[in-house]
Amino acid sequence: MKSPQDAAPRFESLFGRPPKVQVRAPGRVNLIGEHTDYNGGFVLPMAIPQHTEVHLSPREGHTVRAFSANLGAQGQVDTYELGQEKRGRGWLDYVQGVTHVLRVEGHVPGGFDLWLRSDVPVGSGLSSSAALEVALLRGLREAFGLPLDDVRIALLGQKVECDFVGAPVGVMDQMASSLADTGAALFLDTRSLKYERVPLPTQVEPIVINSGVTHSHSGGDYRVRRAECERAAKLLGVEQLRDLPDAELPRALALPEPLGRRVRHVLTENARVLQTVRALREGDLAALGPLLYASHASQRDDYEVSVPEIDLLVDLARAEPDVLGARLTGGGFGGSVVMLARTGSGADAAARIATQYAKQSKHQATVLVPEPSSGR
């Protein structure tokens, strides 16, 4: 079945010339380490096959003309002037945010024509916005010779979300989209930005299932969780919760409710990331599942970012003998579940889980990894 993207006009027909630059950037799934990035902690994401594709050509003057193929044949070319970016134009805010942040940082590209398409589901907890930001920044870097390395691109993408779009995200999503690949997890210290690629053992493969329940980082719940962490850190006398020793957890649990539980999630989740990295390096499959399930329970009970549909997917995963572990991935309040399964079993297990989920919920799950055409 054709998607709306298939019916959308191409760059050449919209702008009367071929693009000078064609680049892409992936979405990401976070194996473990949720809500730790804006607390200065550790995360362990990896790229997924779904990506955002950007076609771009410089043009005379200071006008940006942009088209999203995701809107299909009914989409239109949106325009704005560099230096006059204004929020409130939907998907175009991410494009405007990129040029606004570049200008603030002293990088001033000229006008350009832009065509983009993405198969990273929006609101799925898989960083569709970061994939757009990183892909566009890569395209502008190539088209205008901007002196930006991959880490700088990630930091600029984060500034787009925080300073222009108004979503107070941590740096994990953009770092993963800019630096991660599908063959290894990216072990990242979000404070120092030191990172290391940690290959998955050959005996395991990831599963990613989108619950069909969408979320938004610019919405209220995500902001509330971040504000709670900042308040807890202030009351505990530390700059970020990363700075709080584990021995201080009893003092944190004495804070007004629910701050102590928020702190407990962050401290224990940081520890779980380090334990997961060790298990991956050592090929300790028996350790991986309990860590993923413990992470989900912590998100559900201490951080309170899960929803019944996500919990159902995790419960269905428990019934699959070849699934080692499962957890909510992304900011929460909907989105997707990540699982680790024995190699070769992921596609069939994911299909069974999605079928049972559709019978027991009002939503249709989408299996994103392994891709439906592979392994079946």
Side-chain angles (χ1 to χ4, degrees):
M1 185 174 66
K2 287 188 175 182
S3 69
Q5 299 178 21
D6 297 322
R10 305 293 294 181
F11 186 99
E12 292 84 350
S13 62
L14 288 168
F15 303 117
R17 57 196 170 120
K20 179 180 178 181
V21 171
Q22 298 184 48
V23 296
R24 59 171 57 182
R28 69 98 187 98
V29 66
N30 192 24
L31 290 181
I32 199 163
E34 226 64 75
H35 293 277
T36 51
D37 59 345
Y38 55 77
N39 287 296
F42 304 106
V43 294
L44 193 65
M46 62 188 300
I48 58 175
Q50 290 76 20
H51 62 272
T52 294
E53 180 182 359
V54 160
H55 296 190
L56 183 151
S57 280
R59 65 189 311 273
E60 295 293 331
H62 301 284
T63 300
V64 174
R65 300 189 296 181
F67 177 83
S68 171
N70 287 62
L71 300 177
Q74 305 305 314
Q76 63 181 19
V77 176
D78 290 292
T79 65
Y80 68 93
E81 296 296 311
L82 294 172
Q84 298 181 28
E85 295 89 349
K86 294 181 181 179
R87 287 178 53 186
R89 300 186 65 181
W91 71 271
L92 191 66
D93 281 2
Y94 294 94
V95 179
Q96 292 189 98
V98 166
T99 56
H100 168 78
V101 165
L102 283 174
R103 180 169 51 85
V104 169
E105 295 289 314
H107 306 289
V108 187
F112 56 92
D113 293 328
L114 169 69
W115 181 98
L116 63 86
R117 65 178 291 167
S118 179
D119 58 0
V120 185
V122 175
S124 60
L126 302 173
S127 301
S128 58
S129 58
L132 190 161
E133 294 149 8
V134 171
L136 179 53
L137 283 161
R138 285 176 173 173
L140 293 172
R141 174 176 66 182
E142 184 173 338
F144 292 96
L146 302 179
L148 305 172
D149 63 23
D150 291 340
V151 171
R152 189 65 191 148
I153 277 182
L155 294 174
L156 290 173
Q158 182 196 19
K159 289 180 71 69
V160 170
E161 302 245 13
C162 294
D163 298 350
F164 190 86
V165 176
V169 300
V171 75
M172 173 182 66
D173 295 353
Q174 291 77 16
M175 288 288 284
S177 186
S178 187
L179 295 163
D181 57 49
T182 57
L186 187 77
F187 176 37
L188 171 67
D189 180 335
T190 63
R191 170 169 290 175
S192 68
L193 299 185
K194 291 182 179 179
Y195 62 90
E196 174 189 355
R197 293 180 177 88
V198 182
L200 266 62
T202 56
Q203 306 98 309
V204 299
E205 63 179 348
I207 295 173
V208 181
I209 302 178
N210 180 8
S211 70
V213 180
T214 59
H215 75 145
S216 170
H217 277 174
S218 59
D221 290 324
Y222 185 93
R223 291 174 176 273
V224 168
R225 293 301 179 277
R226 181 160 186 166
E228 287 170 341
C229 288
E230 291 170 352
R231 183 184 172 207
K234 184 175 182 180
L235 290 173
L236 293 165
V238 293
E239 182 179 350
Q240 290 182 299
L241 293 182
R242 161 76 176 274
D243 299 314
L244 189 71
D246 291 344
E248 291 289 291
L249 181 56
R251 186 163 69 95
L253 291 173
L255 293 174
E257 198 38 49
L259 299 185
R261 288 186 291 118
R262 306 299 190 248
V263 175
R264 180 166 59 190
H265 167 75
V266 173
L267 294 188
T268 58
E269 187 77 347
N270 275 326
R272 283 187 288 268
V273 174
L274 299 179
Q275 292 164 4
T276 300
V277 170
R278 187 179 310 117
L280 291 175
R281 287 172 175 160
E282 297 175 355
D284 186 358
L285 305 191
L288 292 173
L291 287 166
L292 266 63
Y293 285 129
S295 173
H296 180 75
S298 182
Q299 291 181 90
R300 181 192 64 212
D301 302 333
D302 279 350
Y303 222 69
E304 296 180 290
V305 292
S306 191
V307 295
E309 292 84 359
I310 293 291
D311 294 338
L312 174 59
L313 281 171
V314 172
D315 288 341
L316 291 170
R318 287 183 183 274
E320 289 288 334
D322 287 323
V323 173
L324 303 178
R327 59 181 288 278
L328 166 64
T329 187
F333 312 105
S336 298
V337 169
V338 63
M339 308 172 187
L340 288 178
R342 299 187 189 280
T343 298
S345 68
D348 288 335
R352 288 191 295 268
I353 291 168
T355 298
Q356 288 301 314
Y357 176 78
K359 291 178 180 179
Q360 298 182 40
S361 76
K362 298 179 181 179
H363 299 275
Q364 194 75 29
T366 303
V367 178
L368 299 173
V369 179
E371 292 184 283
S373 59
S374 65
R376 301 305 305 273

